[in-house]
Amino acid sequence: MPPRTCALCDDARAILKRPKTGQQICKECFFYVFETEVHNTIQESQLFKRGDRVAIGASGGKDSTVLAHVMKALNERYDYGLELFLLSIDEGITGYRDDSLETVKRNQQQYDMPLKILSYDELYGWTMDAIVSQVGKKNNCTFCGVFRRQALDRGAAILNVDHIVTGHNADDIAETVLMNIMRGDIARLGRCTSICTQGEDTIKRSKPFKYAYEKEIVMYAYFKKLDYFSTECIYSPDAYRGHARVFLKDLEAARPSAIIDIIHSGEAFEVKDDVKATQKIQRTLPHLFASILSKGDSLLEICKRCGYMSSNELCKACTLLEGLERGLANAAIVRALSPLFV
Ligand code: SF4
Ligand code: ZN
Ligand code: ZN
């Protein structure tokens, strides 16, 4: 049987089956459709404007490494006019993050982008290794998630960027939709599908890979021979997400469009409410101005310990830190995650 030709260019030999569509195509066409779909996502959501300074949240893993590669390629090909940076957070996880940061340092050379690394140790005085030795492996991701969010904001402020992009892909978002359905959390269900989010902080965050399949990201990294780090975090115990992941992979095997279908289902729950409008006002106000206006208005306060934007006296990170310092970590988690915290 003669070799099958590419379904897109009808010219070269097909060497791969595209996970998203099942089409048999050549390598060059795969690169082109993958990159063009990301470009279309960026254009349709008007993620950037000329002159934006954009930090790529870089972990050294496949998603953020492919994101850095594709952002650089698209910025040059379509002349977005962006200034790109790499921003990495060192959680202090021996045998995991120290190795993956070496990959990011090589990426800095390969992509010729300035790199800023910020550590939990320098920001909070705690590494994840130390936190796990105190709280165990059950709630560690709660600490890590709250600390990372704030660390990225602080890094963005140091780099003076307007925007942080992260490598969250379609599978990640579909998993989160499933988890929110299982928890019956309708408010989060809609919010988790937004391509662009801004919370109580001032930095815009977005996910240009919102519609990119994980399998295609891996394929892209493999065929482009990108330099990335593939080990999982040694403290990754998120069993609940693990169940959602396995379920999603089963659905994908039965019908590849299941991932996009689930994201569209979540999008149908997106609500535009007054809270969003309030947050928008917050974002446009510099911290100091916000603090003057905040007298008597709990939505516009600043954390009394670290100065980070907060809806309570202490921000979530400082609430967790005080719990750690007093050896009352579990009580602090309950407080930091209480619905009274906006
Ligand atoms: Fe942090 Fe948990 Fe991710 Fe490890 S798996 S990096 S502890 S959030
Ligand atoms: Zn082709
Ligand atoms: Zn604080």
Side-chain angles (χ1 to χ4, degrees), residues 1-16:
M1 207 166 79
R4 190 183 282 264
T5 52
C6 170
L8 293 177
C9 67
D10 217 10
D11 203 19
R13 210 180 108 208
I15 61 151
L16 60 95

Side-chain angles (χ1 to χ4, degrees), residues 53-338:
R53 292 166 63 90
V54 179
I56 300 165
S59 67
K62 62 177 184 345
D63 300 302
S64 59
T65 303
V66 173
L67 182 63
H69 183 91
V70 170
M71 284 295 299
K72 182 177 169 67
L74 296 178
N75 193 32
E76 287 165 7
R77 184 178 310 156
Y78 297 103
D79 192 21
Y80 291 166
L82 305 178
E83 232 180 301
L84 298 172
F85 302 83
L86 295 172
L87 173 58
S88 291
I89 305 302
D90 179 359
E91 298 93 344
I93 303 175
T94 313
Y96 166 65
R97 187 55 83 215
D98 40 1
D99 292 339
S100 68
L101 285 174
E102 289 308 310
T103 313
V104 178
K105 286 177 195 161
R106 290 197 300 277
N107 291 160
Q108 173 189 18
Q109 306 295 324
Q110 291 151 356
Y111 302 140
D112 192 23
M113 288 177 198
L115 165 67
K116 174 74 194 160
I117 301 176
L118 268 180
S119 73
Y120 285 2
D121 198 11
E122 66 187 284
L123 286 176
Y124 309 114
W126 286 80
T127 62
M128 277 312 292
D129 286 338
I131 292 173
V132 168
S133 71
Q134 176 157 336
V135 306
K137 281 211 216 165
K138 202 156 164 253
N139 290 314
N140 52 298
C141 293
T142 304
F143 285 88
C144 201
V146 169
F147 287 173
R148 184 181 302 107
R149 186 165 183 84
Q150 201 178 105
L152 280 170
D153 281 342
R154 293 191 185 281
I158 292 169
L159 288 171
N160 192 23
V161 297
D162 312 288
H163 195 145
I164 301 171
V165 289
T166 57
H168 292 95
N169 59 45
D171 299 50
D172 297 328
I173 296 168
E175 273 165 34
T176 309
V177 169
L178 288 175
M179 286 166 58
N180 286 326
I181 290 172
M182 292 190 276
R183 291 192 192 110
D185 193 336
I186 299 298
R188 281 214 179 92
L189 180 55
R191 238 183 297 144
C192 75
T193 59
S194 309
I195 189 163
C196 194
T197 51
Q198 281 180 314
E200 57 210 48
D201 49 285
T202 52
I203 300 287
K204 185 173 172 182
R205 283 161 195 261
S206 65
K207 304 167 186 148
F209 281 172
K210 178 181 175 186
Y211 298 114
Y213 278 30
E214 183 172 58
K215 281 185 181 164
E216 300 208 346
I217 292 170
V218 174
M219 211 172 235
Y220 187 95
Y222 173 79
F223 284 116
K224 283 273 183 190
K225 297 189 173 61
L226 299 186
D227 182 6
Y228 69 94
F229 183 78
S230 54
T231 307
E232 283 252 329
C233 172
I234 52 171
Y235 301 137
S236 165
D238 206 339
Y240 201 58
R241 180 172 283 274
H243 292 310
R245 182 165 302 172
V246 171
F247 179 50
L248 187 71
K249 293 286 174 222
D250 285 347
L251 291 175
E252 185 192 8
R255 196 179 61 177
S257 70
I259 295 175
I260 294 289
D261 294 343
I262 291 169
I263 295 176
H264 288 328
S265 303
E267 284 169 346
F269 285 89
E270 255 185 294
V271 278
K272 315 254 178 295
D273 54 19
D274 288 339
V275 174
K276 274 197 176 168
T278 311
Q279 287 175 340
K280 203 168 178 187
I281 295 167
Q282 273 181 268
R283 289 194 304 269
T284 54
L285 295 170
H287 280 204
L288 191 63
F289 190 38
S291 82
I292 295 165
L293 285 181
S294 73
K295 304 254 180 286
D297 182 347
S298 68
L299 267 175
L300 297 175
E301 279 192 33
I302 283 182
C303 172
K304 71 173 188 199
R305 178 169 152 157
C306 74
Y308 186 74
M309 191 75 88
S310 169
S311 49
N312 294 61
E313 269 202 346
L314 288 183
C315 70
K316 286 182 190 177
C318 288
T319 305
L320 291 171
L321 283 169
E322 292 217 331
L324 279 171
E325 287 155 8
R326 284 195 260 129
L328 298 168
N330 284 336
I333 290 172
V334 173
R335 211 179 120 50
L337 301 184
S338 122

